[in-house]
Amino acid sequence: MMRTAAVIGHPVSHSLSPDLFSFLAGLQAQKEFTYEAIDVPSAKLKEFIQQQRQMPERVGFNVTIPHKERLFDLLDNVSKEARTVGAVNVIEIKNSRWSGHNTDILGLQDSLLQSDADLDAQNVLILGAGGAARAAAFAVAVEGAKRVVICNRNQARAEVIVQDFKNIFSGTEFISADYSFDFAAENAKLVIQATPLGMSGIKTDDSDLRIFESLLNGVKSQQAFAFDLIYRPEETVFLKMAKRKGFKTITGLSMLIGQALATWEIWFSPITSRPEVFSS
Ligand code: NAP
């Protein structure tokens, strides 16, 4: 039977998911599978979901901006992780039941695993407090981070993450910060860049470079990691700066691939060995 999936968002034409999933279908010898990008404006989301419930060949959807936070009431079930992070980026359809998941967390964990970044009892710095930063804070806490400092230009938004997560992860201390925070004292193992600063089409100015510099100064010099969640370009301004300072770097592309592999497993079956082409 033909199975179909799609990424929904607005805009969605920039998405790499159709290429990624068609490629993965080829590797997994899944011949009867098609994947498309569907532009769904916010005002049409509810109607779209109702209409799609009549399509038995659908296995699920990937969800991107601006719908990740807006699907909760339209689904039959939402995983604990997606609810905690506050975002659904994958819908799984089984026996007419629509379930929401968050594979951004799994993509982040996969990237850390592939990079050998052991975070057990380590400190982590995160720049940004949006959906991706929430997934990052969740993932590093699951990986055993001891202390996570979340820095955002609007500190109040970072503080919301602290309040949401502090009772869930009792072994991890969460701190909110603004740009005036003294990162140098942190002695962290990993810094995660989770804002769009440096993304293709978004310019960085001197103040952005100063906050990158300030965060990188809070990371241990030996065996330290810098992770930028942006995947276009693959090597961002932040990663170039980190490389010059001798850091090991992790790109957003590895997270994108990790979340795609995790999505495939939710829709179909476990991928027993990681496709070589996806190994870093
Ligand atoms: P979001 O929810 O819109 O959050 C954006 C965050 O960046 C907020 O904390 C925002 O601060 C901050 N920000 C935006 N513009 C800024 C600026 N000019 N200066 C300083 N801070 C700024 O977005 P998101 O979904 O978290 O995505 C963040 C990044 O992660 C994007 O680049 C996205 O492409 C990337 N991402 C990658 C993957 C992957 O698979 N690799 C997956 C998801 C996301 P305020 O709160 O002050 O507005």
Side-chain angles (χ1 to χ4, degrees), residues 129-132 152-154 157 179 194-196 199 229-230 252 255-256:
N152 199 38
R153 61 180 177 182
N154 165 11
R157 201 172 172 195
Y179 287 10
T195 77
M199 201 160 88
L229 305 193
I230 291 170
M255 172 181 169
L256 187 75

Side-chain angles (χ1 to χ4, degrees), residues 14 64-65 68-69 89 103-104 107-108 111 127-135 151-155 157-158 179 193-199 202-203 205 207-208 211 227-232 251-260:
H14 65 285
T64 187
I65 290 169
K68 284 184 181 186
E69 293 89 17
N89 77 318
T103 58
D104 282 341
L108 279 148
S111 301
L127 179 64
R134 288 182 75 94
C151 170
N152 199 38
R153 61 180 177 182
N154 165 11
Q155 188 181 347
R157 201 172 172 195
Y179 287 10
Q193 200 301 103
T195 77
L197 289 170
M199 201 160 88
I202 297 186
K203 286 216 173 338
D205 63 23
S207 69
D208 303 327
I211 186 64
F227 188 174
D228 198 327
L229 305 193
I230 291 170
Y231 56 83
R232 214 180 246 168
T251 74
L253 196 58
S254 69
M255 172 181 169
L256 187 75
I257 289 169
Q259 65 81 28

Side-chain angles (χ1 to χ4, degrees), residues 155-171:
Q155 188 181 347
R157 201 172 172 195
E159 183 56 29
V160 172
I161 305 182
V162 173
Q163 294 307 322
D164 286 351
F165 284 18
K166 71 177 184 189
N167 295 326
I168 299 171
F169 297 102
S170 54

Side-chain angles (χ1 to χ4, degrees), residues 86-105:
V88 164
N89 77 318
V90 171
I91 299 171
E92 170 200 19
I93 306 167
K94 267 204 186 115
N95 304 325
S96 305
R97 235 181 121 67
W98 286 47
S99 303
H101 301 270
N102 189 306
T103 58
D104 282 341
I105 302 168

Side-chain angles (χ1 to χ4, degrees), residues 49-64:
I49 300 285
Q50 281 166 351
Q51 170 216 340
Q52 291 291 315
R53 281 184 182 267
Q54 314 307 320
M55 296 182 63
E57 72 276 17
R58 287 277 190 225
V59 284
F61 293 91
N62 287 110
V63 183
T64 187

